[in-house]
Amino acid sequence: MRSVHNLPYETKEEPVTVPLPDGTRLSARVWRPICSDEEPMPAVLEYIPYRQRDLTAVRDSIHHPYLAGHGYVCVRVDLRGTGDSDGVLGDEYLEQEQRDAEDVLEWLTAQPWCDGNTGMMGISWGAFAALQVAARQPESLRAIVIASFTDDRYADDMHYMGGTLLSDNLAEAGTMFAYSTCPPDPAVVGDRWRRMWHERLEGSEPWVLEWLRHQRRDDYWRHASVCEDYQAVRCPVLASSGWADGYSNAVTRLLAHLDVPRKGLIGPWSHKFPHLGRPGPAIGYLQEVVRWWDHWLKGEDNGVMDGPMLSTWMQDSVPPSTSYEQRPGRWVVEPEWPSPYVSRVVHPLSRYRIGRPEERGHEEQEHGEQRDEEPPAALTVRSPLSVGQFAGKWASYNAPPDLPYDQREEDGGSLVFETEPLTERVEILGSPSVELELSVTEPVAQVAARLSDVAPDGSATRITYGLLNLTRHSGTGDPEPLEPGRRYRATVHLNGVAQAFPPGHRIRLSLSTSYWPLAWPPPKPSLLSVYENSSTLTLPVRTPQEEGEAPRGLFGEPEGAPPLTTTTLVPPEERWDVKRDLIGYQHELEIVKDRGLERLDHIGLDVGRRAYERYTAVADDFTSVAGESVWTMRFRRDGWETKTVTRTVLTCTDSAFHVHATLDAYEWGNRVFSRTWNEEVPRDCL
């Protein structure tokens, strides 16, 4: 990324406190042109819980000063109960959080340096916040810019996928357990820091408990899910994500369902801003954001809405790897979404083959007369719990390397269907789906569907995947136990992707009955029977068109302001280890993401963050699975030193989940707070 020093506007940075109507004070930082003292300008808000003074300070220093240098007041606010803000944060996307955001926007418009026009931007939580607040239609909000988000909190977030419980539900709960219990900085809030900290410690509960109490789509998840009413969003939207991210589906859904000016951008990236995108290529995203704000907040006629609705990176074939610096491919553009260049092509599944589309009609005719008397043959699988150990993370953060590895070992415990070697290049863009006629031997069962690119040497690179809790086969709202032996029809929707398969390669569909530890398994292993000739794979095949090819130089090189300097005091550590004990038959995945100890030179603060995750199981005992998330957060400067250690362990029986959690807080190595939770949550067809 190129650091830009000479920007159109000279800027200044200042900490501010935003007062709310109930007396709560939110901690914020403002970057703005110096001339805004006399010439008010539009304000852009980023609103997240991740501590603007320290934990996101380096990242913030890249894009907020850059945007300010192009004529905007950029405001980064810590949510109630985080950073140096007052209060306690008890959960995500609460009504209180959104009301506070509206109050912040109203406060911004009242400042002498704001011209009354506001925008919101962010990635992940910040994008959720912007989209959710946009649906509330605050008067000053003119447009939003969002990256790596979802419009559906239940079906397409880190909690549940296809009605299955994701391990990231535990991992993210562990993250927020740690972040929400960190102390404010005495250098900002003064002597009341300890009282504020203990208020947070006393008011905290492991968030995983609330998320486990809602195992089906209920009002808890409907709240702040914009998919419940797309028409509520009335301002323009610039939306982006990456194919390696867990949030690869929402961009195209917004393009299809919103009725406002909108643009979409999907690259090869993991959970990163596009100007910091990995795998690369990263792009000049901030230049695009400036053009967006110039048009919608300043009224400039700059053609930002000209051209395609969606620009996306069509990925070329690559060998399997847990990390890529760059993903080969090319930019393609779509005039609208759904795209006129994409067709849903249905392939029949029969005897371990993915048939050609033209075969389906012939086979249905051939078998039609005898189908009632002689039902199709069944192909069966009961997967070992080891299937899924090379699945990677639900959402890749690319640190440590966390993408799926070679699928051949996973496929050994799966039911596999495969095409003949391709005779010509095939490109897909969108969400594949698998429609199955099936039966199972247990009342609660799941299926994981994976699509892979198989090279001539046999290596298999996972392209996309989908999960379905079969008790939700008719919808995720009202699950029902399955009747063993009864035949059902179920559709598994795979995550959206843009992928090219070259000639000589094969397309492989793999079905498994477990996918641990990415997804929590059902209470007992089940034998899955899939009936051939009545099950299908549907691919969103893109036909290349000259007008659909992006011009060279579609995006500039990534730019940003020079980042803040830091000093490494203790080096970081990253590990991703798969272990198997062939005596006790325990297998485990161990993940370490330790950022060491880093000094933020501009404020003389030492910050340490260490995340540890461990997922274990014994043999094929589905009730032996366990997940653990441990976080250590350290803050230190002359005269002040704190540490919090949070630990959450999730285990289960065939009827309930068990949560054991601990929270310990330390000053100068002395424990000043300790609490333990031991709670049980019944399983709900899960």
Side-chain angles (χ1 to χ4, degrees), residues 421-427 501-505:
L422 300 175
T423 58
E424 59 185 17
R425 179 182 174 96
V426 174
E427 294 183 0
F501 301 87
H505 285 222

Side-chain angles (χ1 to χ4, degrees), residues 183-381:
D185 190 336
V188 176
V189 302
D191 292 340
R192 64 192 185 101
W193 76 271
R194 187 177 287 107
R195 175 176 56 80
M196 292 173 64
W197 187 27
H198 280 261
E199 181 183 5
R200 293 177 186 179
L201 297 170
E202 293 284 355
S204 292
E205 177 185 77
W207 292 15
V208 70
L209 286 168
E210 186 66 10
W211 297 345
L212 285 174
R213 293 171 186 139
H214 301 276
Q215 296 171 32
R216 60 179 70 190
R217 188 184 194 92
D218 57 15
D219 288 342
Y220 175 83
W221 300 113
R222 293 188 186 99
H223 167 73
S225 286
V226 171
C227 65
E228 296 291 322
D229 181 11
Y230 287 110
Q231 300 309 304
V233 177
R234 302 308 307 158
C235 69
V237 178
L238 175 60
S240 65
S241 191
W243 295 128
D245 197 352
Y247 298 109
S248 64
N249 303 305
V251 170
T252 50
R253 281 202 301 270
L254 289 193
L255 297 183
H257 294 291
L258 290 183
D259 187 23
V260 295
R262 58 205 184 276
K263 287 271 190 173
L265 170 64
I266 310 176
W269 316 300
S270 60
H271 197 69
K272 305 284 186 183
F273 270 124
H275 60 292
L276 305 172
R278 292 180 61 196
I283 65 166
Y285 175 70
L286 293 181
Q287 297 95 299
E288 300 300 314
V289 173
V290 168
R291 292 183 66 230
W292 185 262
W293 294 138
D294 283 349
H295 181 71
W296 294 112
L297 299 189
K298 292 183 177 179
E300 293 186 10
D301 185 10
N302 58 9
V304 74
M305 293 307 298
D306 296 343
M309 178 180 284
L310 173 67
S311 302
T312 186
W313 187 253
M314 178 61 68
Q315 302 175 125
D316 285 339
S317 178
V318 289
S321 176
T322 57
S323 179
Y324 301 98
E325 286 297 320
Q326 297 283 322
R327 280 299 302 259
R330 74 190 195 285
W331 288 104
V332 298
V333 294
E334 305 294 342
E336 57 186 305
W337 193 266
S339 168
Y341 306 145
V342 176
S343 302
R344 307 288 295 178
V345 179
V346 180
H347 296 259
L349 303 178
S350 62
R351 197 50 52 176
Y352 313 114
R353 293 180 59 246
I354 299 174
R356 295 188 298 272
E358 62 268 22
E359 291 178 345
R360 179 167 170 77
H362 173 73
E363 289 181 355
E364 287 183 339
Q365 182 178 5
E366 181 180 351
H367 294 286
E369 295 181 358
Q370 59 181 2
R371 179 164 179 166
D372 291 338
E373 298 178 8
E374 298 181 27
L379 306 175
T380 62
V381 64

